[in-house]
Amino acid sequence: MDFATTLLPALFGFGTGLALIVAIGAQNAYVLRLGIEGRTRTILPAVLICAISDAALIFAGILGIGLVVEQIPVALVVIRFVGAAFLLAYGVFAAVRAFKPGALVADASPIPISTRVAVVTMLALTWLNPHVYLDTLIFLGSVANQQGEAARWWWGAGAITGSFVWFFSLGFGARHLRRFFSRPGSWRILDGFIAVVMLSLGAGMAFGV
């Protein structure tokens, strides 16, 4: 097994996937809320919806962008610069959030959320969000295809693993993380990490490193 074309791309994919997923948003806030309630029958389907949806979109992105690149080689150049611009812009926004952090607050309800409501709500938050298509389908798929024919699947597997790790950790660890994520300083650390990762990847992609 060649580390440079297997585990290394998987680790990069894992880090990039986490950098995109770990951000303040409606999806994460809702998973946190379900986690705070601590009812496995609502947490499990919710986190599975998030993680499996990411896996499907990443897989589709790798396949779709890969077909375009095979038929139109110049598309790889276009994707590279568009991807670099997106990464740099995302990194700048993350840096701004790090200087002006928010707080992820789950509005715990005295009435437990039913499994059906949790599933329908999570499906809506996931699939009706236009950013999920830009970030997961197009962006992660394009970055994966920058890794080469074989390594792209390892990179995608790493990104998918990152999604599963994050959503399961947030959903089932929410009781312990509630106080941590309610502090702006905690999100300053996370957004600072996201900014470094995105700006580094963007610069590397722009210069063909």
Side-chain angles (χ1 to χ4, degrees):
M1 180 180 292
D2 186 359
F3 179 77
T5 58
T6 56
L7 297 181
L8 188 59
L11 289 174
F12 283 143
F14 182 86
T16 307
L18 278 181
L20 277 177
I21 296 167
V22 181
I24 299 174
Q27 190 182 50
N28 284 337
Y30 195 69
V31 171
L32 181 62
R33 179 181 178 182
L34 295 175
I36 291 171
E37 285 193 356
R39 300 169 71 233
T40 302
R41 65 180 183 180
T42 57
I43 300 172
L44 183 58
V47 296
L48 282 174
I49 287 170
C50 294
I52 292 175
S53 295
D54 276 354
L57 288 166
I58 292 170
F59 184 74
I62 294 175
L63 283 178
I65 299 298
L67 291 175
V68 172
V69 171
E70 289 176 4
Q71 296 176 11
I72 312 174
V74 71
L76 188 60
V77 177
V78 175
I79 289 170
R80 179 180 132 196
F81 285 105
V82 171
F86 180 86
L87 276 170
L88 293 172
Y90 203 106
V92 170
F93 288 134
V96 171
R97 290 198 306 267
F99 284 103
K100 297 181 179 180
L104 184 57
V105 179
D107 182 19
S109 172
I111 302 176
I113 300 172
S114 69
T115 303
R116 177 180 295 180
V117 170
V119 168
V120 172
T121 302
M122 190 54 66
L123 285 171
L125 290 175
T126 301
W127 293 96
L128 297 182
N129 176 11
H131 292 289
V132 74
Y133 301 100
L134 175 62
D135 294 350
T136 311
L137 180 63
I138 298 177
F139 171 64
L140 290 182
S142 66
V143 174
N145 280 286
Q146 294 284 330
Q147 314 306 311
E149 180 61 31
R152 63 177 179 166
W153 296 109
W154 286 92
W155 195 98
I160 291 170
T161 301
S163 177
F164 273 86
V165 168
W166 168 253
F167 285 116
F168 272 81
S169 298
L170 181 60
F172 288 97
R175 286 182 175 177
H176 308 288
L177 298 174
R178 181 180 186 182
R179 186 173 297 178
F180 177 80
F181 279 111
S182 66
R183 295 197 300 264
S186 302
W187 286 102
R188 175 178 283 118
I189 295 172
L190 288 172
D191 281 326
F193 165 75
I194 292 171
V196 171
V197 170
M198 292 302 180
L199 290 173
S200 299
L201 289 173
M205 188 178 290
F207 292 101
V209 178

